[in-house]
Amino acid sequence: MGTSVQVTPLCGVYNENPLSYLVSIDGFNFLVDCGWNDLFDPALLEPLSRVASKIDAVLLSYPDTLHLGALPYAMSHLGLSAPIYSTEPVFRLGLLTMYDQYLSRKAVSDFDLFTLDDVDSAFLSITRLTYSQNHHLSGKGEGIVIAPHVAGHLLGGTVWKITKDGEDVVYAVDFNHRKERHLNGIVAESFVRPAVLITEAYNALSNQPHRAQRDREFLEKIVRTLEGGGNVLLPVDTAGRALELILILEEFWAQRNLGYDIFFLTYVASSTIDYVKSFLEWMGDSIAKSFETSRNNAFQLKRVKLLINKMDLDNAPIGPKVVLASMASLEAGFSHDIFVEWASDVRNLVLFTERGQFGTLARMLQANPPPKAVKVTMSKRVPLVGDELVAYEEEQKRLKKEEELKASLLKQEESRASHGVDNTSSDPMVIDTTNSNAPPDVAGSHGGGYRDILFDGFVPPSTSVAPMFPFYENNTEWDDFGEVVNPDDYVVKDEDMNQTALHVGGDIDGKLDEAAASFILDTKPSKVVSNELTVQVKCSLIYIDFEGRSDGRSIKSIIARVAPLKLVLVHGSAEATEHLKQHCLKHICAHVYAPQIEETVDVTSDLCAYKVQLSEQLMSNVLFKKLGEYEVAWIDAVAGKTENHDMLSLLPTVSTPPPRHKSVLVGDLKMADLKQFLASKGVQVEFAGGGSLRCGEYVTLRKVGVAGQKGGGSGIQQIVIEGPLCEDYYKIREHLYSQFYLL
Amino acid sequence: MASTAQPASSLKRRDAPVTREGDQLTIIPLGAGSEVGRSCCYMTFKGKTVLFDCGIHPAYSGMSALPYFDEIDPSTIDVLLITHFHLDHAASLPYFLEKTTFRGKVYMTHPTKAIYKLLLTDYVKVSKVSVEDMLFDEQDINNSMDRIEVIDYHQTKEVNGIKFWCYTAGHVLGAAMFMVDIAGVRVLYTGDYSREEDRHLQAAEMPEFSPDICIIESTYGVQLHQPRHVREKRFTDVIHTTVSQGGRVLIPAFALGRAQELLLILDEYWSTHKELQNIPIYYASPLARKCMSVYQTYILAMNERIRNQFAHSNPFQFKFIQNLNSIDDFTDNGPCVVMASPGGLQSGLSRQLFDMWCSDKKNSCVIPGYVVEGTLAKTIINEPKEVTLMNGLMAPLNMSVHYISFSAHADYAQTSAFLKELRPPNIVLVHGEANEMGRLKQKLITEFAADGNTKVLTPKNCQSVEMMFNSEKMAKTIGKLAEKTPEVGETVSGILVKKGFTYQIMAPEDLHVFSQLSTANIFQRITVPFNGAFGVIKHRLEQIYESVESGTDEESAVPTLLVHKLVTVKQDSEKHISMHWAADPVSDMVSDSVVALVLNISRELPKVVIESEASKTEEENEKRAEKVIYALLVSLFGDVKRDENGKLVISVDGNVAKLDKQSGDVESEHEGLKEKVRTAFRRIQTAVNPIPLPGS
């Protein structure tokens, strides 16, 4: 009867690999997250490639590589073509992250897994939703409602709630319950008691220091390094946690009025901050409030300077500085180059704010004790010079010639076949293509193609002997009033407003910073030069956790609060996964699954349900009792049919006394509350051993049985009241009863 | 529409109003009913109350500018939804929050909240009224900020069982149309809306659900707007001609809303016309300058066009427009374009410039929007020969005056197309001058109400509109109770749990699984001093209870008795017996009787009166029961008689019910009485007859 739900991990279980899971709900396949790592290893995507074409919708939860990195590749190479849903910041910052990834990679290698166009076209198909917007799917997914909810961690971060027939499937990974400078925490109340919760064990074993203490340590380390004349490198992600760090530094610098430079260096730094400035709706309450009351945009940065080019950093005034640079993994990007430059100076500090991805340089450096020296590859894209350039040009020329030859051959064949007139360049009608405005490199490839046409889109009709302008016979219709006209031909097109829009924008690729743009457009022949070198790691290396994820204890308490009927654990080391699984089995719910890659677990709820109509006659006699946000009542009814006979309806029982039912006491008794309550009623109470409550002189109260399960998952409470026959006994019993509703 | 239920009888009174009131949806315009200004619309349904907008009437001052708040009890309002920042939609909010008993929640969009504060602070500063007449001060505005919650477009919020979300409305930045869903009945309140996309705002969206009621603005009634490109062309042409001939252009405009649209048009026009770029455009409004950062920030609330431009540069960072704080900073040398407030040319900078420029025929004045009757702007539209300057002198009006309306309200074409697609069965018109509204109503009726399924209403202020919605209550039976779907005629018993407007039926054991409620069992153990023989107790109990089972305790091997299958009596020691049972009204009663009995034995008082089995015949028993039943019914209903068939005839307020004592069947014309008598009889019977054994 319940909705059928299957979960199949495609990547990222029992380890820290990127996240990607297949969740199918009544046959509708959701791909939740589509992550890749900084190493861009296509092997990781193999499971995805097998199912990509079957996917009906993609849900993205965070704007970082681990959650959406594989999207462009999957769309262009694996046949993924489903509609994608995300929040606005995930879309925008995700796009920038992918640009940064691409540019960082392209700068040091012949990266060809995907192009910027792939990135653009992948992100073009994203539908953007706001938090707690109930989006009703149509077509195959009819009846399914998806809604993003606040998750913290990164700007726009999402917990997805997928609802069908009143049953919720909640996908919550990497969430953060704490409020941060720019983000709100997760609100566990918005998805209580889902049928299925998919969450991760990544942080199940971690403990976090107190936030204030952590911040102090972080700033102290940085300031001490700067005062010692050293530089600080913070390897960060493109548009995620970097924002929080920027705010911390900005705030601290303003407070102390420090003069050291701070730089934020990624290929897309300035556009990132520009966009982030317009995302205030998505940030925490304090940011929104400060803007509403004083129009202070927290991301109107005064201290942090934005750079998109390493040259600008090299040109910066000499002296100690802080640099936030992407990528966090140190595998590529500016952080990689800066690390290589700075690692050998003991005064410098490399401060990691997140755990490095497995197998990356950052991870290696975070080992304890850190390695004394690391081997790195320094690659650079250099323009071709000398012989190489000549060789390249010759090669290009050869290719061009071949193409031309091919084209002319083709054309000759064609013309011979069609009308036998040879359109050679001596023909006065033919415009010499070399004079066209097309850029030479483009012309190189198409050169021959223009020969037989005068203008683009004009093909000589096959019946004509020589090229001629098209001639249309004017066969207009006439009636009594003159020529019959189509009114649409005379409507003034609503264009004027969009003209400018078109020539300024019209594409989604957003603002690529000039340097970056010039870099892409720069089609000058170049090659990648790599050399391996060993870097002596003399600088200090520190790891301070600024990942903005909930720690183990909070994860457990949040899962307990959400209290799912079934739980699926993904993402996290085998050890952490096993630990959390055991914990949840013991304390939270009986159905915990931790599937392997490509192992499908069926988490269809074994819940039975049917719908009935409550008739007016029945409801008029029901007396509800209010209990918090619930109202409860006992009903005895007879099943009947509704007027139009399509549903069951409940009618009041006609016969005299309804069957007696066992009475039910509803309420959640907390011993401490009861103690207070009794005390307020003038009863002497104190806790005796074993959690029992001694009331008055003789009567004892205690809870027995399965008290282990906490929170919403609790079973039936068993309470024992004992005592000799006395007035107190009845009085206390009365008080105890008053804590419950009797149905 | 109006309720038609007949007056209920006195008997049904307790139930009847509950269901009737519950199904009746009431809408009362407290302002903007057949008028423009002080928008405020009250709606209540099923005990949930929503207030839409909270504005002031710009034509009045002090308390008389407020909507009719006296008509309602502010403390009963659950949610207050503000559509946009204009004074006639939001300006009485600080008063309502700070000076009334309203304790509900207030929602508006992010941009609205940011501009609301700036606008009202400015309003308080410039309004020249006496201190007593002040509705609120700056402090009240600041306090109100803490109580306003924000909502994003499409975000669904739920307060106290009321679900609501909003759509973009066009009109101004942050303007929203609210859809409210109470127990499945949906109401759409459009506020001011425009279905035409402009330079920076999206057109009002088409909701994906059709509402049951649509409360819609009718400012422009049956009028039609000029197409956007026509008026934009007129606007830019006038300006271009004037400045190229060496004249000056004055655009008197309200600081926020349309002004930003005009600036975008000008900035764009300048950037495409190089020849104009040495001619300055001034924008003279300190308030608008403050609000510029709001426009520069909430790009996401604007249209796709702006968002695309934003990818290159922020379109609200104007390239050709300079700010002007006061006339002192302004040097009048040669052609220029100045946009200044107020829009009506009553006073202030726009009037100062007008006085300076009005007599030169090279100059132009462009009035870009709706102008209020009685202002100078309204006067000059008719192009009089002379005008009175601020210093009282007369001057010839030589400058050319152009009226080009950029008002972002829906016109008739938009309203009709919007409603045609939405097809709401009930349309309530607000926010429109009475005549204009009347015409719109007539036209809508001919267009929509021909089939008789659509109703168009135009309530005046404080006039309530009532509609009945018989919402079906659907419940979902889940868990153990739902293992088998019952056939017709089978009984269903369980706990009905109501949360908001959703109902679930479940077995008590499942309560903690499907809700956050938990159930408890209370076990009671009580020791009673007793030093007689255990057998005596058993003997006595057997005389009262049908079922007394002997046994031995498994642990201590002492004799036990299970009374009525509920209470276990155990001989703990020579001097004590203990009783234990699970709490429940019946068990408690049984245990009480056992305690009484045991105490009686130990006190060795005269025995409990034992009626010998033989002395009580069935007949006597029945007679006594009948007597008791009769007496109780009399005490409940008063007039109870026996008729010839042995039935009891009960008459109350002229309604008669006949009760068959054997079967419990009741006959009556009156449903309410029938139900009452049946329930009463059922209860009396349970009291008179022996307690059935559990499980029997």
Side-chain angles (χ1 to χ4, degrees), chain B residues 238 339 359 372 407 416 458 469 549 556 629 696:
Chain B
V238 165
M339 190 181 292
S359 40
V372 186
S407 188
S416 134
T458 53
F469 286 97
E549 290 166 25
S556 50
I629 292 169
S696 66

Side-chain angles (χ1 to χ4, degrees), chain B residues 382-495:
Chain B
N382 299 322
E383 302 192 30
K385 286 260 175 303
E386 283 187 322
V387 285
T388 319
L389 301 183
M390 277 222 283
N391 54 19
L393 298 173
M394 296 297 279
L397 177 69
N398 291 332
M399 78 195 296
S400 58
V401 177
H402 306 267
Y403 174 63
I404 305 168
S405 175
F406 282 90
S407 188
H409 285 277
D411 63 354
Y412 180 71
Q414 294 176 25
T415 304
S416 134
F418 186 64
L419 291 174
K420 202 172 270 173
E421 197 161 335
L422 213 53
R423 280 276 164 202
N426 301 288
I427 301 168
V428 179
L429 299 179
V430 293
H431 199 278
E433 187 256 322
N435 291 333
E436 211 50 81
M437 196 184 262
R439 274 180 228 135
L440 179 61
K441 181 182 179 180
Q442 284 315 315
K443 209 153 177 191
L444 289 177
I445 285 175
T446 46
E447 191 165 349
F448 295 105
D451 54 358
N453 293 334
T454 310
K455 297 188 182 73
V456 184
L457 299 151
T458 53
K460 295 199 168 54
N461 282 340
C462 306
Q463 206 174 45
S464 77
V465 172
E466 278 131 29
M467 302 173 202
M468 299 298 291
F469 286 97
N470 271 327
S471 58
E472 285 183 351
K473 294 187 186 75
M474 298 302 302
K476 198 173 168 190
T477 313
I478 45 172
K480 294 199 178 96
L481 207 55
E483 274 164 13
K484 195 173 108 357
T485 312
E487 298 298 320
V488 171
E490 283 187 280
T491 54
V492 177
S493 298
I495 297 180

Side-chain angles (χ1 to χ4, degrees), chain A residues 430-438 443 446-453:
Chain A
V430 174
I431 294 164
D432 191 2
T433 47
T434 47
N435 292 342
S436 70
N437 314 345
H446 301 287
Y450 284 91
R451 287 273 166 121
D452 53 350
I453 50 169

Side-chain angles (χ1 to χ4, degrees), chain A residues 471-488:
Chain A
F471 173 72
Y472 298 109
E473 210 165 307
N474 191 4
N475 45 357
T476 48
E477 273 179 59
W478 291 71
D479 63 8
D480 296 347
F481 300 97
E483 190 181 335
V484 177
V485 294
N486 179 7
D488 288 344

Side-chain angles (χ1 to χ4, degrees), chain A residues 193 511 633 636-637 719 722 737, chain B residues 311 492-493 496 513 523 525 588:
Chain A
R193 284 206 96 42
K511 166 168 44 175
D636 288 299
I719 295 154
E722 278 185 303
Y737 280 178
Chain B
V492 177
S493 298
L496 180 64
V513 181
F523 296 100
R525 210 162 77 93
D588 285 1

